[in-house]
Amino acid sequence: MSACIPTRHNRTSRSSRPPRASGVKRPHSPPPPRGGRFRIAGADLSASITVFLLAVPMSLGLAVAMDAPLEAGLISAAIGGIVAGLLGGTPLQVSGPSAGLTVVTAELIQIYGWRTTCAITIGAGLLQILLGSLRAARSALAVSPAIVHGTLAGIGVAIALAQLHIVLGGSPQSSAVANALALPDQLGRVSPAAPLIGVLTIAVLILWPRIPGEIGRAVRRIPAALAAVVTATAVAAIVAPSIARVDLPSWRSHALPEMPHGPVLALATAVFTVMLVASLESLLAAVAVDKLSADRAAERTAARPGSNATPAPAPAAPASAPALSPSPSVPAASLALPARRSDLDRELRAQGIANTLSGLVGGLAVSGGAVRSSANVRAGATGRASTVLHGVWVLLATGLLVTVLEWIPLAALAALVMMVGIQMVSFAHIRNVHRHHEFLVYGATITGVVLFGVLKGVAIGIAVAVAVALHRLARTRITVTDQGGQHLVVVRGQLTFLAVPRLSRTLGQLPQSGDAVVELDGFFMDHAAYEAIQDWSNAQTAHGGKVVFTGRSGGRIAEPASAAHSCCRPWTPWRNHHCHDEPGRTPGADHGPGEPSTGALPGNTHTTGIVDTTGRTSPTDRHTSHGTTHDAAHGASHGASHDTAPGTPDNAAAPDREPTPAVLLRPTGGNRLINGLSSFQRNTAPLVRDELARLAIEGQRPSQLFITCADSRLVTSMITASGPGDLFTVRNIGNLVPLPNAESGDHSVGAAIEYAVDVLKVESITVCGHSGCGAMQALLGAEPDQETPTTSLWRWLRHGLPSLKRMASRHHAWARISGRLPTDALEQLCLTNVVQQLDHLRAHESVARRLAEGTIQLHGMYFHVGEAQAYLLTEGASSGLELDEVFDRVDPGDVPGSGELERTGA
């Protein structure tokens, strides 16, 4: 949780923004277009054909599902592709008829007729333009994901129920409930032709992406939806020539919008409903396209020769993508595509313009679609040319392929749309909302949409979400434990005025002259709760009692705004915030709410640690309670609390936020050093002074020798949750351990090993490598037969050549990461180097002697910087036994044992 967000009155942050006319790109803006001309790449042309072949059957199917004119589906697909594609803020998103609006549009057509429905679409488009101009797109995404996904899932259920009737050869009813009630009667009078064609369509949709081998890779270039419809059309032409088919009326009879007729309030509600569903569907699809295109860009970057980037894991495709979207190989031309961030306000305006034009010419409502968009990205599109061309092909098809389209059976289109509806109920979304304890909101929204319609269902979902939030806010558990004369009061949950009566009653039952420790396990305290606790604390102290306030593992307890001093905590400088560099900041204002100085409520001067019955800090705690200890090797104020478990709020990373350009915040040269030292003296030194004074008297007694790379991203005190006196650290380029008899003028590593083993009597030695190591990358690029380099760097890197040979040798198994293989040769060498340096370590006489005595342990460790994840080499491999060299993942719940890193928390 970052507390360092500048306030609105911070003129420094405002004035430091780059002007619009400058060449600096603002964080939330997409990159400007590369040129004024509309460029068409070969990859865009092929991708546009793929999306066109997918869009035509889907557009017709959605028009059938809405009981709208079939040509209206093609019109909206063409306008969505051309207009939204040219003007939208998401270049790779493909717009067309909205699956989410299927139920809404069908109901509007039944109530008002087609021409008034077109007018409602125009009104919804104008409202979208207005909201986009007011920059309200991001606010639309503030709706709870459980409500959004519940709405789409409810619409999907309604779509599937309606289309099932067409697949069975009948006609859908007016609502989802009516369709469900009429289903038994429909099954009793089913005709065989339509169900067989529907089953065939569904079978091809499911099996087409799963065809194995070379044939499968070739045919998967054809969209599964197109393959299913073509197959069903061909079979129907032979075995069921009289089956109901698509009937495209003459363009002369095409209906245009008229002035709406009906109650004003009902029409306004209809316009708002169409706008809401279309906007949410488009914005969610835009966010999904951003993620998908970013993952594809990362994969392409990693695939380039000489790239050492770790490829991103395969993205989770939208719910409807697996069965309907193709997975062709990415053309080489698309390798130049950078990952772009959508301009959601521009996208919302473009959707509004497209809806306005579509309604004016008699088309369906338009929205961005996950199925078409994911197909576009996977087909290798590089820009908006693919989206626009797909709309052009659809426009041409409406005039040139009428005869071909009229061969398509309605049952095939209904089966296609039914699968779209089923896939809108995503099990991944269900698992996600269940994990976040939002399933009640999700289920209420689905039920409301199915039973009462979209708008009422959304209202029910919002009401349930508010009720759940209030219940969680009011649910505060208070327990009291007598610990031999001292009472431990544990308050779990948020402290609001709703909990004040119970809290006051519990605190009032404690002896007035007794000692108490109050553990506040929550992140919010309102003014009423704050005053209740403060009054009780003052009364308790006045009667001779001692009160200590603490949070679980140093967790932050928010105070009223007037009591909050500032934003910085002592370790924030390594996060590049440098709040202490802001002009006008006073030294006393740098204590954050999570620091010991604010852990006690105002008026109490007791320490913020868990104390024993004498009021002293527990002797089992080596460091100051809730203090922040620091590794002097990394400069001032960037360590991690020794007694705070990883994953707790105080040593969690800041949430996702756009980084401020370093040139605007970070001082350089001596100023940066002085500022850091000043921050240490002001914030951290008071917290660790007693501990360092004790260590100065007793001397150092570290339990471990930690050999790691000098890479600045590897903060040993942070990743091991250690503090002063814990680690004897040796850092060098490549975490290398030269052999004792190596011909080298540098003996610093050997001297450190000898001192740590023989003098300090460390109990374990850890060799820690990391991802993206520059030393290992340099070794990979070295020529095996080159002469001995003359530079100091290459003379040092010679000690890593045995690792390179080990990786190339057939006599050694390749090191692996548990659950996966190394991503590339660089990661393989980083892992192998750790194993090889452990072998070098065993060759040192002092280490070999202690190993023979059984008084020292060796550990291999690999830290993946991008994942912030530590891996430990299996104990057998660390001991030198001939076992698989596997690095096992260290999980947050792992408990250190005899064979793992002790005391560091790694």
Side-chain angles (χ1 to χ4, degrees):
M1 180 180 299
S2 173
C4 296
I5 301 175
T7 55
R8 291 186 179 273
H9 61 271
N10 189 333
R11 298 186 179 183
T12 303
S13 60
R14 267 189 184 273
S15 61
S16 59
R17 290 181 184 172
R20 290 180 180 268
S22 69
V24 180
K25 299 174 186 177
R26 292 180 293 170
H28 290 280
S29 300
R34 297 185 177 181
R37 296 181 299 171
F38 186 76
R39 300 183 179 181
I40 302 176
D44 291 328
L45 182 61
S46 62
S48 69
I49 296 174
T50 300
V51 180
F52 157 72
L53 296 177
L54 173 66
V56 169
M58 283 196 64
S59 301
L60 292 173
L62 290 173
V64 170
M66 298 176 191
D67 197 24
L70 298 186
E71 68 273 14
L74 298 175
I75 290 173
S76 60
I79 291 178
I82 298 173
V83 177
L86 281 174
L87 305 178
T90 311
L92 299 182
Q93 175 160 273
V94 181
S95 301
S98 170
L101 283 171
T102 302
V103 178
V104 176
T105 305
E107 184 178 358
L108 292 177
I109 292 174
Q110 289 184 358
I111 296 175
Y112 300 109
W114 171 243
R115 299 182 68 183
T116 298
T117 301
C118 291
I120 292 173
T121 301
I122 296 173
L126 294 175
L127 190 55
Q128 283 180 310
I129 296 173
L130 175 63
L131 292 176
S133 301
L134 296 175
R135 310 188 70 82
R138 289 283 176 187
S139 301
L141 295 180
V143 180
S144 169
I147 297 175
V148 174
H149 296 310
T151 302
L152 296 178
I155 292 171
V157 171
I159 290 174
L161 287 173
Q163 297 311 294
L164 182 57
H165 282 273
I166 299 179
V167 171
L168 295 176
S171 300
Q173 304 299 314
S174 58
S175 67
V177 176
N179 282 320
L181 295 176
L183 195 57
D185 181 62
Q186 181 64 53
L187 291 172
R189 50 188 177 85
V190 65
S191 57
L196 289 176
I197 294 301
V199 170
L200 176 63
T201 305
I202 294 173
V204 176
L205 279 173
I206 295 174
L207 298 177
W208 190 261
R210 294 171 172 82
I211 300 176
E214 295 292 337
I215 297 178
R217 278 194 290 272
V219 301
R220 280 196 295 270
R221 295 179 179 274
I222 302 173
L226 178 66
V229 172
V230 169
T231 303
T233 300
V235 172
I238 299 174
V239 302
S242 60
I243 194 173
R245 302 178 187 277
V246 168
D247 182 17
L248 287 173
S250 170
W251 285 104
R252 295 180 180 178
S253 61
H254 181 65
L256 296 176
E258 64 178 1
M259 290 298 295
H261 301 285
V264 175
L265 181 60
L267 290 173
T269 302
V271 169
F272 180 78
T273 303
V274 172
M275 180 278 302
L276 177 66
V277 177
S279 300
L280 284 176
E281 191 174 11
S282 298
L283 296 177
L284 289 175
V287 173
V289 169
D290 274 354
K291 295 179 181 178
L292 192 61
S293 58
D295 290 334
R296 299 290 288 181
E299 292 174 2
R300 295 163 190 159
T301 302
R304 293 177 185 172
S307 172
N308 62 345
T310 303
S320 54
L324 299 179
S325 60
S327 300
S329 59
V330 180
S334 65
L335 292 177
L337 174 66
R340 297 181 180 179
R341 165 171 289 183
S342 296
D343 184 340
L344 296 183
D345 294 303
R346 177 180 174 183
E347 180 66 30
L348 186 58
R349 290 193 298 271
Q351 296 292 333
I353 296 172
N355 273 315
T356 303
L357 293 178
S358 181
L360 284 172
V361 297
L364 296 172
V366 171
S367 73
V371 176
R372 294 179 293 261
S373 301
S374 62
N376 191 38
V377 175
R378 293 175 184 276
T382 64
R384 61 181 77 247
S386 171
T387 303
V388 175
L389 286 176
H390 127 272
V392 173
W393 307 144
V394 172
L395 190 61
L396 294 176
T398 58
L400 303 178
L401 299 179
V402 174
T403 305
V404 176
L405 297 177
E406 288 181 339
W407 278 92
I408 300 175
L410 291 179
L413 295 178
L416 174 64
V417 177
M418 186 177 72
M419 287 299 293
V420 173
I422 292 173
Q423 290 167 342
M424 289 173 72
V425 185
S426 170
F427 288 104
H429 293 155
I430 293 175
R431 287 194 298 269
N432 194 32
V433 298
H434 184 268
R435 184 169 63 250
H436 290 88
H437 308 288
E438 297 283 348
F439 188 78
L440 181 61
V441 179
Y442 182 83
T445 307
I446 290 180
T447 305
V449 170
V450 172
L451 295 180
F452 307 110
V454 174
L455 197 59
K456 293 180 180 179
V458 171
I460 291 173
I462 292 174
V464 173
V466 171
V468 169
L470 290 176
H471 172 70
R472 290 174 178 171
L473 194 62
R475 187 180 61 182
T476 305
R477 291 175 293 173
I478 306 173
T479 59
V480 180
T481 305
D482 189 351
Q483 298 182 335
Q486 176 178 275
H487 290 82
L488 173 63
V489 182
V490 180
V491 182
R492 301 195 184 280
Q494 317 322 319
L495 281 174
T496 66
F497 65 94
L498 299 173
V500 167
R502 190 151 41 97
L503 177 64
S504 299
R505 183 169 59 251
T506 302
L507 294 177
Q509 294 173 353
L510 299 179
Q512 287 188 342
S513 59
D515 296 342
V517 175
V518 181
E519 180 180 319
L520 303 176
D521 181 12
F523 63 84
F524 178 77
M525 178 193 302
D526 71 2
H527 192 74
Y530 176 82
E531 284 198 348
I533 295 179
Q534 180 67 43
D535 292 342
W536 170 81
S537 175
N538 291 338
Q540 196 80 356
T541 305
H543 286 83
K546 295 182 179 179
V547 180
V548 174
F549 292 93
T550 181
R552 183 178 64 174
S553 299
R556 171 186 173 183
I557 305 298
E559 296 181 348
S562 60
H565 298 299
S566 70
C567 62
C568 275
R569 295 176 181 169
W571 60 86
T572 51
W574 67 264
R575 288 153 64 176
N576 292 333
H577 290 178
H578 288 274
C579 298
H580 54 274
D581 298 322
E582 293 184 14
R585 181 169 298 284
T586 60
D590 284 318
H591 292 286
E595 296 176 25
S597 58
T598 59
L601 295 172
N604 295 298
T605 58
H606 305 289
T607 131
T608 60
I610 296 292
V611 297
D612 59 18
T613 54
T614 63
R616 293 174 299 180
T617 304
S618 172
T620 59
D621 238 353
R622 290 197 54 213
H623 303 287
T624 51
S625 299
H626 296 181
T628 306
T629 55
H630 299 265
D631 186 346
H634 297 286
S637 65
H638 64 277
S641 173
H642 176 67
D643 59 345
T644 302
T648 59
D650 270 348
N651 53 354
D656 293 338
R657 49 177 286 221
E658 290 298 323
T660 306
V663 69
L664 302 179
L665 281 182
R666 300 179 64 178
T668 59
N671 289 336
R672 186 173 178 188
L673 174 64
I674 294 172
N675 286 335
L677 292 173
S678 174
S679 176
F680 169 79
Q681 295 300 147
R682 182 170 63 246
N683 301 323
T684 309
L687 305 178
V688 298
R689 184 170 286 118
D690 292 342
E691 177 68 10
L692 290 177
R694 184 186 65 80
L695 291 173
I697 297 173
E698 298 177 0
Q700 61 168 327
R701 291 198 299 268
S703 63
Q704 292 189 62
L705 168 61
F706 201 83
I707 303 174
T708 188
C709 185
D711 192 295
S712 61
R713 298 167 296 178
L714 208 64
V715 184
T716 56
S717 60
M718 178 181 69
I719 66 176
T720 61
S722 59
D726 285 339
L727 300 181
F728 188 74
T729 305
V730 174
R731 304 188 66 154
N732 60 59
I733 295 176
N735 47 275
L736 300 178
V737 179
L739 289 168
N741 57 355
E743 296 180 3
S744 173
D746 186 286
H747 299 284
S748 61
V749 178
I753 293 172
E754 184 177 340
Y755 182 78
V757 173
D758 293 338
V759 179
L760 297 177
K761 303 295 183 182
V762 295
E763 300 167 3
S764 67
I765 305 177
T766 301
V767 177
C768 175
H770 67 97
S771 61
C773 181
M776 298 301 104
Q777 188 171 8
L779 285 174
L780 280 176
E783 299 179 7
D785 299 330
Q786 63 183 349
E787 297 180 358
T788 303
T790 57
T791 65
S792 298
L793 176 61
W794 278 102
R795 280 198 298 271
W796 171 255
L797 289 180
R798 268 192 326 176
H799 301 301
L801 291 177
S803 301
L804 199 60
K805 294 178 181 178
R806 184 188 188 103
M807 189 177 75
S809 172
R810 297 184 179 181
H811 301 291
H812 296 282
W814 275 19
R816 305 193 310 277
I817 290 184
S818 178
R820 67 173 176 86
L821 293 174
T823 54
D824 51 24
L826 176 59
E827 185 170 58
Q828 180 63 64
L829 183 57
C830 292
L831 297 171
T832 302
N833 182 59
V834 173
V835 180
Q836 183 65 35
Q837 300 313 311
L838 287 173
D839 283 352
H840 289 184
L841 198 57
R842 297 183 191 97
H844 285 257
E845 180 182 354
S846 56
V847 176
R849 183 178 66 255
R850 291 280 303 277
L851 285 173
E853 296 170 356
T855 58
I856 197 169
Q857 293 179 339
L858 303 185
H859 302 291
M861 177 178 167
Y862 175 76
F863 186 74
H864 195 291
V865 178
E867 297 174 357
Q869 178 63 55
Y871 298 85
L872 285 179
L873 184 63
T874 51
E875 189 171 351
S878 294
S879 303
L881 303 179
E882 291 296 330
L883 298 174
D884 287 342
E885 295 167 357
V886 179
F887 287 78
D888 287 330
R889 177 189 180 100
V890 179
D891 292 322
D894 289 350
V895 178
S898 59
E900 299 180 8
L901 295 180
E902 299 173 357
R903 297 182 58 192
T904 64

